[in-house]
Amino acid sequence: MNPHPASLPLDLFTVKVMTLVTMLIVSMAAVLAWRINREVAGMRLFALGLLALMSGALLGLARIFVSGDAIVIACNVFMFGGMVTVAQGVRAFRGFQLLRPGLLTLLAGIVAVFFLYWLFVHESFGMRVGVISSSFILLAIDASASMFRQVPSRDRLMYWPTGFAFAFTAAYLSARAVGAFSGVYGATLFAPVPIELASTICANVAYIGCVLGMLLASNTQLRHEIGRASVRE
């Protein structure tokens, strides 16, 4: 049974609401950037991935008012799908080959097996957090590597900040996963554990850093492409 909002620790609940608002604003900025700069490869996938992550976060918050396994599954499906799409968008932006469907299917299958086991067979919120966080770590590392790979020295200021933002994402998710597998989490998303408050704040910072980094990189890349086109003319 999900707790009533009044029984939640105010600091954690407030931070989660603020994070959701931040995700909404930043995601809309990414969508607007994609609509304006349609020529930039990968921005469509990146923006759609952010919207999926935001939708998953909204469903997660809605679990305060709606109980049941369906919303738990839907929340994590949106979050996982959103992170995959973001990683694919970053790869497309850098001009790299997208992650192969077979590899993504294997990852999704492994995540689903363990997630559903700890949902229906041996119910454990903490273990589910660990499973989802682990999959996010792999995708964040891939996105970070995409922003660091094959970058000429003159373009490092354009791509590396986003790479560092995704690396920070992987780092805080690693701490979250270790804490989750160590049993520090309570029975629900809003259990008053210090690691969840810190993790939510880190998620907010990482989300802003990754999105702003991509927006700046896409604008710079577009200006470079326009400049090169002008020189050819």
Side-chain angles (χ1 to χ4, degrees):
M1 188 71 177
N2 288 321
H4 188 274
S7 66
L8 299 176
L10 180 60
D11 52 356
L12 178 57
F13 179 71
T14 302
V15 169
K16 285 188 175 295
V17 171
M18 290 174 62
T19 298
L20 182 60
V21 173
T22 300
M23 292 177 72
L24 174 61
I25 295 172
V26 177
S27 297
M28 291 301 102
V31 171
L32 180 60
W34 159 54
R35 299 287 292 181
I36 295 173
N37 302 331
R38 289 176 177 270
E39 299 84 357
V40 178
M43 287 304 294
R44 175 176 174 272
L45 284 174
F46 186 75
L48 292 176
L50 295 179
L51 290 177
L53 284 169
M54 183 194 67
S55 300
L58 179 60
L59 288 172
L61 202 60
R63 286 156 59 185
I64 301 171
F65 309 100
V66 181
S67 60
D69 297 328
I71 193 169
V72 174
I73 294 173
C75 165
N76 287 277
V77 166
F78 271 99
M79 296 290 285
F80 178 79
M83 194 64 189
V84 168
T85 308
V86 164
Q88 295 285 58
V90 173
R91 278 179 163 260
F93 174 72
R94 289 300 324 281
F96 298 138
Q97 181 181 10
L98 299 185
L99 293 170
R100 296 179 180 178
L103 180 62
L104 292 176
T105 300
L106 177 62
L107 177 61
I110 294 173
V111 171
V113 167
F114 285 101
F115 184 88
L116 294 176
Y117 173 80
W118 277 305
L119 179 63
F120 295 115
V121 180
H122 187 73
E123 205 284 330
S124 172
F125 171 73
M127 297 302 285
R128 295 199 304 270
V129 169
V131 169
I132 294 298
S133 295
S134 298
S135 67
F136 277 30
I137 292 167
L138 297 176
L139 294 167
I141 290 174
D142 182 78
S144 179
S146 295
M147 297 304 289
F148 284 125
R149 275 196 298 160
Q150 300 176 16
V151 179
S153 57
R154 67 179 184 277
D155 293 333
R156 287 174 182 172
L157 285 177
M158 174 169 50
Y159 296 118
W160 279 18
T162 312
F164 284 120
F166 277 109
F168 172 76
T169 301
Y172 98 78
L173 285 170
S174 297
R176 189 174 193 241
V178 170
F181 287 132
S182 299
V184 301
Y185 273 86
T188 71
L189 179 66
F190 295 97
V193 292
I195 189 173
E196 183 60 17
L197 177 60
S199 176
T200 303
I201 294 172
C202 287
N204 202 2
V205 173
Y207 197 88
I208 295 172
C210 292
V211 176
L212 290 184
M214 276 293 289
L215 294 182
L216 292 174
S218 65
N219 289 336
T220 304
Q221 181 171 294
L222 185 61
R223 287 199 301 270
H224 285 181
E225 291 175 358
I226 292 174
R228 286 192 291 266
S230 300
V231 171
R232 287 195 297 267
E233 292 175 358

